[in-house]
Amino acid sequence: PSISGPALDIAPVIPNDSTDLPTIAVALYVENGGTLEVITVSGATRQINVADFSILPVGIQRVKASATTASGIHALNIT
């Protein structure tokens, strides 16, 4: 799927080690900073430290629970 263009919707994310997001996110918005462990649309697993009120403009297919300490995570979606 295409991940270009502005987000049309935003949805809360519940991190899960085995389940992808229902829709690929074009970005994540994080209210409370910490560590995010994600799987990008390219299939890479990454751990990123983010500050409060961060926007991470990367295509994300999964936010993993095991190493994620950030909270208030929202997916910005284009579908």
Side-chain angles (χ1 to χ4, degrees), residues 15-66:
N16 189 299
D17 287 335
S18 58
T19 303
D20 288 345
L21 298 173
T23 304
I24 289 176
V26 296
L28 295 178
Y29 170 68
V30 180
E31 293 176 356
N32 302 300
T35 301
L36 285 175
E37 184 171 16
V38 300
I39 299 178
T40 66
V41 292
S42 68
T45 298
R46 303 281 185 237
Q47 281 192 8
I48 305 108
N49 292 317
V50 296
D52 291 353
F53 309 112
S54 292
I55 294 177
L56 184 66
V58 176
I60 302 293
Q61 66 183 7
R62 182 181 304 167
V63 178
K64 298 183 76 175
S66 56

